[in-house]
Amino acid sequence: MDNALPTGKLSRGKVVGKALLKIGAKKTKRFVTNGDKTQNHEEIADIIFDALGELKGVSVKIAQQVALGMPFLPPAYLEKISKSFNAIPSINKALVRKIIKTELGLYPQDAFESFEMTAFAAASLGQVHLATKDGEQLAVKVQYPGIKKSIESDMSLIHFGMKRFAKGQNVDHIVGEIEARLYEEVDYALEAKNCDFFRENMNLRNIVIPKIYHTLSTDKLLTSSFLEGIDFETYMLSEPRQDSKNNYAQMIFDSYFYSLYKLRCLHADPNPGNFLFIEGGKLGLIDFGCVKKIDENFLQDYNALLLDILNKVPDEKLVNHYYNLGMVKEDTLEQMLYFYQEIIKPVITLYMEPLMGDSYDFKVNNNFSKRGFDAALEVQKKQYTVIHQVHEEYIFLDRTLVGYYALFEKMGAKIETGYVKSLMKELV
């Protein structure tokens, strides 16, 4: 598929409107005929996936972030969205040549010793080509043309939908945070700086981060060293040993908290496509478009909350932490406790479950996502306006870690928590 990216609000709105009409028809048909619920989910998932493929780019990225942050959706939806990570329609070869000529002033065959015109990997905001220069293998990420223009139109639709979900409550801070991250993700010059930062400062054994070639990079083109490894799906299909799965899950888990506590900067996109499983037990970390810098005051409050949860302090004290984070409104203690116990506690209890002991086995607890889905549904029944009270930094931390938990569950891996807890205690 070589369809051009629709960039206007009207053209993208037509795609969304057509998909909504189809979904409405499928829901009506099931209601009238009392059809099979699972089949209906699959049919609707197909419609959504087709629309995402037509919209490309930003809408796909938003959908992926929703899926990663809430791995509690029906299986049909998760399966389709997970396919979207590497199945976005490609840019045609003539356009790739034109983009590289515009960005570097040279056609691919002149800028590189060799350049594969067929992309070997897709990203939601672009695609990646294999090239060579001075005998080095390179990965060249080419951004979809017009992707930046689509952000404004897509975010207006998202803002409208979220306001309806929040019953008219203020969601500007959340929408603004998502929009800011999206604009950062289409700035490949910024991504290059992020990659340099993590390459220089991520001092964990066996974590491999590519080198950026700045003379071959612009804000729409990113050239890095090529990492030889396999993706998550290929790794799992190879039927790896349990100790291998445990080792990789541990590296991902530790690197998340190392970034949070040591670097104050988080690689906030738990897309499984951002990891490469490299021979010798090494883990490649790629795609630094979605990076979140963590405010020091927030981290202090957040860490105090986590430690008190681990120490099983009374709910009355935990309420104060959420008040400090702006997630519980000032009221009588009784009302504040009620909100915490009914709305926050069911979800945070599950979120913290893997950290409560010395280790956590996702192979044994293979219903983690299912329990998360049930907890989210129960909260939704009780309160529809919670979203406007969620701290924007809290969103990115939770979304990233829950996304990793979902990954560990798929792996059936076991993690140890000792190193992470030592990082928490060091901050006090």
Side-chain angles (χ1 to χ4, degrees), residues 38-58:
T38 300
Q39 182 181 347
N40 188 245
H41 279 317
E42 291 174 354
E43 290 172 346
I44 291 174
D46 281 331
I47 294 170
I48 293 172
F49 180 68
D50 288 343
L52 290 174
E54 193 173 344
L55 288 169
K56 302 183 183 180
V58 177

Side-chain angles (χ1 to χ4, degrees), residues 101-138:
K101 178 67 165 66
T102 300
E103 295 303 311
L104 299 180
L106 297 168
Y107 286 111
Q109 68 270 24
D110 300 317
F112 303 94
E113 289 174 1
S114 67
F115 186 92
E116 296 290 337
M117 293 305 299
T118 301
F120 74 86
S124 52
L125 305 181
Q127 61 189 40
V128 191
H129 295 257
L130 186 64
T132 59
K133 181 82 170 180
D134 299 329
E136 297 288 333
Q137 275 197 310
L138 307 174

Side-chain angles (χ1 to χ4, degrees), residues 193-204 207 209 251-252 254-268 285 288 291-296 299 393 397 419 423-424 426-427:
K193 291 179 182 177
N194 290 337
C195 190
D196 285 342
F197 174 81
F198 278 91
R199 180 178 167 85
E200 292 168 9
N201 295 286
M202 178 67 82
N203 299 317
L204 285 179
I207 297 286
I209 295 172
M251 279 196 282
I252 294 170
D254 289 348
S255 68
Y256 167 87
F257 282 99
Y258 181 91
S259 299
L260 177 62
Y261 283 96
K262 294 293 187 180
L263 308 184
R264 308 294 199 269
C265 192
L266 202 65
H267 183 277
L285 189 57
F288 290 87
V291 167
K292 175 66 177 171
K293 293 181 180 178
I294 306 300
D295 176 76
E296 182 67 32
L299 183 59
E393 289 188 317
L397 267 60
Y419 173 69
L423 291 175
M424 293 177 182
E426 282 178 16
L427 190 64

Side-chain angles (χ1 to χ4, degrees), residues 8-192:
K9 188 179 294 186
L10 181 61
S11 60
R12 295 179 74 79
K14 284 181 179 178
V15 175
V16 174
K18 185 171 66 175
L20 290 175
L21 284 173
K22 288 182 179 179
I23 291 170
K26 290 292 183 184
K27 286 187 173 182
T28 301
K29 181 181 177 182
R30 178 179 173 265
F31 178 75
V32 172
T33 63
N34 196 28
D36 180 74
K37 186 175 182 180
T38 300
Q39 182 181 347
N40 188 245
H41 279 317
E42 291 174 354
E43 290 172 346
I44 291 174
D46 281 331
I47 294 170
I48 293 172
F49 180 68
D50 288 343
L52 290 174
E54 193 173 344
L55 288 169
K56 302 183 183 180
V58 177
S59 286
V60 177
K61 175 60 71 173
I62 292 170
Q64 290 171 353
Q65 290 189 0
V66 169
L68 292 166
M70 289 191 66
F72 315 130
L73 298 170
Y77 294 88
L78 289 176
E79 182 183 354
K80 291 294 179 182
I81 291 176
S82 69
K83 286 181 179 179
S84 76
F85 288 125
N86 291 300
I88 310 303
S90 62
I91 310 170
N92 66 56
K93 296 177 182 179
L95 190 52
V96 169
R97 280 174 50 81
K98 181 180 178 181
I99 292 170
I100 292 177
K101 178 67 165 66
T102 300
E103 295 303 311
L104 299 180
L106 297 168
Y107 286 111
Q109 68 270 24
D110 300 317
F112 303 94
E113 289 174 1
S114 67
F115 186 92
E116 296 290 337
M117 293 305 299
T118 301
F120 74 86
S124 52
L125 305 181
Q127 61 189 40
V128 191
H129 295 257
L130 186 64
T132 59
K133 181 82 170 180
D134 299 329
E136 297 288 333
Q137 275 197 310
L138 307 174
V140 183
K141 184 158 68 170
V142 181
Q143 187 177 116
Y144 283 127
I147 194 74
K148 195 170 184 178
K149 292 180 181 177
S150 72
I151 293 177
E152 183 181 353
S153 58
D154 281 26
M155 287 309 302
S156 65
L157 294 172
I158 294 296
H159 196 182
F160 175 76
M162 289 181 72
K163 281 188 77 72
R164 287 179 63 87
F165 173 75
K167 301 293 186 182
Q169 297 291 327
N170 181 27
V171 295
D172 290 350
H173 66 302
I174 294 176
V175 173
E177 181 73 12
I178 294 172
E179 188 170 9
R181 297 287 81 75
L182 287 173
Y183 276 115
E184 287 178 1
E185 287 203 57
V186 298
D187 183 351
Y188 285 0
L190 178 60
E191 182 177 346

Side-chain angles (χ1 to χ4, degrees), residues 220-238:
K220 295 183 178 66
L221 190 78
L222 185 63
T223 302
S224 68
S225 55
F226 174 76
L227 299 186
E228 188 77 48
I230 58 176
D231 61 27
F232 176 74
E233 185 177 353
T234 304
Y235 172 72
M236 291 302 295
L237 288 174
S238 71

